[in-house]
């Protein structure tokens, strides 16, 4: 899923800002090779001179626009904003505030409102900048346990298919959760059917974890289901915690996070990695409404549990019982005792700010359209290569797709052939042979709780032309299975004996026999 594109303009602005920051640091050298923090006096004048002198250089124009936007829309005086981003660029202070730098929160909050929540009416969310979405998830799970909101043995629901680590995490010794799958329906375009949503009415389910839009099925929840989840939380499950990973939300027009459906119940995780081609930067954020059920659950804990937690956070706050869950998460991220050094590095937060302002300035959504076009073109090329109609789904991201091989086999050849595939070969047989014989490496969909013998394809990380070869290779290999089935009379009897995990060797032998 690592994208092969780079958002250029905000990066150019970042590096131009770095050059200006270094000029400022070298104005007062302590010793040869030792700069000093930037001097605030006259900083705006020197910044304007830098912009004028370098006006034709890439990134400078956007940098100037970012300062103007921060002033007009984010209500930050140029002197204040420039001073803070220059200091952050130099990285010569610990992040303060540690949860998120003030200028960064002022930029990221409206970005999330625009791109992920789709509206400003949902109120204010507190933000915690993290080292990517994966760190965010680790911090959330840890703090939910530390603050006794979730406990070992609790029941949680997973929206499946889902990113494989989210299947694995609940069963670690740290958590030992009981999991109930809320399953998308392939026949309904990978949407959650009513009967699956109804599972969330079960009061034993403490939390619902999902990736939205989904990974690997790459669709967002349609409006009807969205409303049903909102009504369920509002009327039947006011205590339900929702944890939603919305990293792919920007690839769907009109996307809305479940944080819009249930703002007071939802922990929203967003990462800048996919949309901006920034996986190496490790830029993530956790958003929790300033009025949320997590703080309410902590307030309702027993006196004994409160005493334990007050002792835990006594070095963080004078009145630890008043510490919000999101602030506890910041402390927990550095084992509490090291909380004074918590927080994402300050240069990383400058990048987050520039990415956010870049999209906020893009009123016509030019960048979004181009990012979506990259994926859609590859998506169409892939399906053309396979030789099947390209699915049209207004809720799809086109970032990934699932190809259900038995379903394709039945549609292209016959139901009996599809049955033969499922009953004769290991679920991963198809992807293994694809790698061995065509040098095409794809992931097994079953690892994501997608259908067995399905394959998950990322449309984000290869050149456009590669997807035609992938599609043709899938089609070619399926044909080889079919030819073997048709030419070997004994295969009809084999079809009644499905290979078990213990018969991998025999499955491999059968694979070789197809060549």
């Amino acid at each position: 899923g690592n994208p092969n594109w780079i958002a250029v303009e905000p990066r150019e602005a970042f590096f131009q800002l770095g050059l200006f920051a270094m000029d400022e640091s070298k104005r007062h050298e302590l010793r040869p090779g030792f700069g000093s923090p930037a001097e605030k006096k006259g900083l705006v004048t020197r910044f304007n001179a830098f912009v004028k002198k370098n006006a034709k250089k890439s990134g400078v124009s956007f940098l100037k626009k970012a300062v103007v936007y921060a002033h007009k829309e984010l209500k930050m005086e140029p002197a204040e904003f420039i001073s803070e981003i220059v200091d952050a660029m130099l990285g010569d202070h610990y992040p303060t505030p540690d949860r998120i730098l003030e200028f960064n929160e002022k930029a990221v909050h409206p970005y999330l409102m625009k791109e992920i929540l789709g509206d400003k009416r949902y109120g204010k969310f507190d933000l915690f900048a993290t080292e990517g979405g994966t760190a965010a998830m680790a911090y959330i799970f840890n703090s939910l346990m530390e603050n006794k909101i979730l406990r070992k043995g609790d029941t949680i629901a997973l929206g499946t298919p889902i990113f494989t680590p989210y299947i694995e995490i609940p069963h670690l010794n740290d958590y030992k959760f009981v999991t109930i799958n809320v399953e998308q329906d392939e026949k309904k375009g990978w949407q959650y059917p009513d009967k699956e949503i109804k599972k969330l009415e079960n009061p034993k389910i403490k939390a619902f974890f999902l990736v939205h839009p989904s990974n690997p099925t790459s669709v967002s929840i349609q409006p009807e289901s969205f409303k049903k989840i909102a009504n369920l939380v509002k009327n039947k499950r006011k205590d339900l915690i929702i944890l939603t990973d919305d990293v792919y939300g920007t690839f769907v027009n009109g996307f809305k996070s479940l944080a819009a459906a249930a703002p007071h119940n939802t922990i929203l995780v967003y990462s800048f990695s996919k949309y901006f081609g920034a996986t190496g930067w490790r830029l993530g954020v956790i958003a929790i409404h300033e009025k949320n059920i997590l703080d309410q659950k902590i307030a309702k804990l027993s006196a004994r549990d409160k005493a334990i937690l007050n002792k835990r956070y006594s070095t963080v706050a004078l009145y630890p019982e008043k510490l919000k869950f999101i602030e506890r998460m910041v402390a927990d991220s550095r084992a509490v005792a090291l909380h004074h050094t918590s927080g994402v590095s300050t240069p990383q937060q400058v990048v987050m700010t520039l990415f956010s302002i870049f999209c906020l300035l893009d009123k016509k959504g030019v960048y979004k359209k181009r990012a979506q076009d990259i994926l859609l073109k590859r998506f169409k090329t892939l399906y053309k290569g396979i030789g099947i109609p390209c699915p049209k789904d207004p809720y799809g991201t086109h970032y990934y797709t699932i190809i259900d091989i038995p379903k394709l086999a039945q549609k292209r050849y016959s139901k009996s052939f599809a049955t033969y595939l499922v009953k004769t070969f290991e679920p991963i047989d198809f992807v293994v042979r694809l790698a061995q014989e065509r040098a095409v490496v794809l992931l097994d969909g079953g690892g994501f709780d997608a259908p067995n013998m399905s394959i998950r394809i990322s449309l984000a990380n290869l050149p456009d032309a590669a997807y035609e070869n992938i599609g043709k290779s899938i089609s070619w290999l399926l044909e080889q299975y079919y030819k073997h089935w048709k030419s070997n009379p004994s295969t009809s009897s084999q079809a009644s004996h499905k290979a078990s995990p213990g018969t991998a060797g025999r499955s491999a032998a059968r694979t070789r026999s197809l060549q």
Side-chain angles (χ1 to χ4, degrees):
N2 194 94
N4 66 346
W5 60 76
I6 299 291
V8 173
E9 193 171 19
R11 279 179 169 87
E12 291 175 333
F14 174 83
F15 291 115
Q16 290 292 349
L17 179 61
L19 293 174
F20 173 71
M22 287 309 303
D23 286 345
E24 286 297 301
S25 179
K26 291 188 290 184
R27 288 182 70 246
H28 300 290
E29 288 190 322
L30 302 178
R31 298 287 190 281
F34 286 79
S36 60
E39 183 182 5
K40 292 183 179 180
K41 185 177 180 180
L43 185 61
V44 174
T45 301
R46 294 191 297 277
F47 176 80
N48 289 336
F50 174 86
V51 168
K52 184 177 181 180
K53 179 182 177 181
N54 298 281
K56 294 183 179 181
K57 292 184 179 179
S58 299
V60 173
S61 175
F62 170 67
L63 187 58
K64 180 180 178 180
K65 291 176 184 176
V67 173
V68 172
Y69 184 88
H71 182 209
K72 290 185 176 180
E73 302 296 333
L74 306 182
K75 309 305 178 186
M76 295 189 70
E77 290 297 325
E80 174 192 4
F81 182 65
I82 294 170
S83 175
E84 289 190 16
I85 61 173
V86 167
D87 182 72
M89 278 298 300
L90 293 173
D92 59 335
H93 294 103
Y94 288 113
T96 307
D98 49 13
R99 177 167 57 80
I100 188 170
L101 298 179
E102 289 182 9
F103 70 82
N104 192 25
E105 187 164 28
K106 288 180 179 179
V108 174
H109 193 280
Y111 169 73
L112 293 177
M113 292 296 109
K114 176 188 176 185
E115 297 289 352
I116 303 301
L117 282 101
D119 206 316
K120 296 180 180 179
R121 67 184 177 187
Y122 302 107
K124 184 180 181 301
F125 286 73
D126 294 324
L127 307 183
F128 173 20
T130 63
E131 304 88 341
T134 50
M137 285 297 176
Y139 297 158
I140 290 166
F141 275 97
N142 179 53
S143 288
L144 287 172
M145 294 292 289
E146 289 290 355
N147 286 277
K148 308 182 189 304
I149 296 171
L150 293 180
R151 302 172 191 258
K152 285 187 177 182
D154 277 351
T155 299
I156 65 169
L158 293 177
T160 60
I162 195 170
F163 184 45
T164 307
Y166 297 166
I167 299 173
E168 299 167 347
I169 288 173
H171 302 292
L172 295 175
N173 287 334
D174 308 60
Y175 312 110
K176 293 185 177 179
F177 295 142
V178 176
T179 57
I180 293 175
N181 288 352
V182 176
E183 299 176 4
Q184 298 169 352
D185 189 340
E186 183 179 6
K187 295 178 181 178
K188 295 183 178 180
W190 298 110
Q191 292 294 328
Y192 293 106
D194 291 352
K195 66 181 181 66
E196 295 297 310
I197 294 174
K198 193 173 178 62
K199 289 179 180 179
L200 298 175
E201 294 180 8
N202 182 350
K204 289 184 178 180
I205 295 175
K206 300 292 182 67
F208 177 36
F209 299 158
L210 74 160
V211 178
H212 181 222
S214 51
N215 173 9
T217 53
S218 270
V219 293
S220 61
I221 299 172
Q222 63 185 10
E224 294 82 359
S225 300
F226 189 89
K227 290 176 183 177
K228 287 173 182 176
I229 294 173
N231 289 332
L232 183 147
V233 173
K234 182 179 179 180
N235 299 314
K236 296 182 178 181
R237 290 302 316 275
K238 294 180 180 180
D239 62 330
L240 181 67
I241 299 167
I242 297 174
L243 171 54
T244 178
D245 180 347
D246 293 347
V247 62
Y248 304 103
T250 44
F251 296 100
V252 178
N253 292 324
F255 173 78
K256 279 193 176 184
S257 168
L258 282 182
H264 306 291
N265 296 64
T266 302
I267 304 172
L268 187 162
V269 173
Y270 178 73
S271 167
F272 292 79
S273 61
K274 304 298 193 294
Y275 196 44
F276 298 96
T279 51
W281 278 100
R282 313 311 301 134
L283 308 175
V285 64
I286 299 169
I288 301 177
H289 198 280
E290 60 181 353
K291 297 178 181 178
N292 61 80
I293 64 167
L294 303 163
D295 293 335
Q296 294 171 14
K297 287 177 181 289
I298 292 172
K300 292 178 181 178
L301 290 172
S302 68
R304 180 178 179 276
D305 285 342
K306 285 181 180 178
I308 292 171
L309 292 177
N310 287 346
K311 183 178 180 181
R312 176 179 178 83
Y313 299 110
S314 61
T315 60
V316 178
L318 189 59
Y319 301 102
E321 66 275 8
K322 295 182 180 180
L323 200 64
K324 300 178 77 170
F325 175 74
I326 197 166
E327 298 290 356
R328 294 169 186 238
M329 205 171 354
V330 177
D332 291 335
S333 73
R334 297 297 184 271
V336 182
L338 296 169
H339 72 274
H340 62 288
T341 61
S342 56
V344 169
S345 78
T346 57
Q348 284 174 283
Q349 297 202 49
V350 174
V351 179
M352 292 172 69
T353 295
L354 293 175
F355 282 157
S356 297
I357 293 178
F358 175 69
C359 283
L360 290 167
L361 282 168
D362 186 10
K363 303 295 184 182
K364 295 182 179 180
V366 174
Y367 181 82
K368 180 188 285 283
K369 291 174 184 175
R370 289 173 179 169
Q372 292 173 336
D373 181 66
I374 291 172
L375 295 173
L376 183 58
K377 180 179 179 181
R378 295 172 181 178
F379 191 77
K380 290 179 178 178
T381 301
L382 172 71
Y383 277 85
K384 183 179 179 181
I386 298 173
I388 56 178
C390 182
K392 294 181 180 180
D393 189 343
Y395 308 112
T397 69
H398 306 117
Y399 200 96
Y400 304 108
T401 193
I402 288 286
I403 304 297
D404 188 330
I405 297 301
K407 184 178 178 181
L408 177 60
Q410 179 174 336
K411 190 171 184 179
R412 179 167 292 182
Y413 297 109
S414 68
K415 184 176 181 180
S416 54
F417 170 57
T419 301
Y420 156 75
L421 281 179
V422 173
K423 290 189 174 183
T424 307
F425 297 98
E426 297 288 338
I428 64 169
D429 199 87
F430 196 92
V431 292
V432 170
R433 284 201 65 201
L434 203 58
Q436 290 174 337
E437 300 188 27
R438 303 291 284 194
V440 172
V441 179
L442 303 175
L443 292 181
D444 168 46
F448 297 81
D449 265 2
N452 278 337
M453 204 176 274
S454 64
I455 51 180
R456 180 257 210 182
I457 304 168
S458 168
L459 286 306
N461 61 344
L462 293 173
D464 294 6
Y467 291 95
E468 181 178 7
N469 176 55
I470 292 173
K472 288 182 176 179
S473 295
I474 291 169
S475 187
W476 174 86
L477 182 55
L478 185 61
E479 184 181 9
Q480 304 314 302
Y481 280 97
Y482 179 71
K483 286 179 177 178
H484 178 266
W485 178 66
K486 291 292 288 183
S487 64
N488 190 344
S490 65
T491 56
S492 58
S493 60
Q494 288 179 357
S496 63
H497 301 287
K498 183 175 180 180
S500 66
T503 61
R506 292 196 295 276
S507 179
R510 282 196 295 273
T511 294
R512 288 192 292 272
S513 72
L514 299 183
Q515 298 175 5

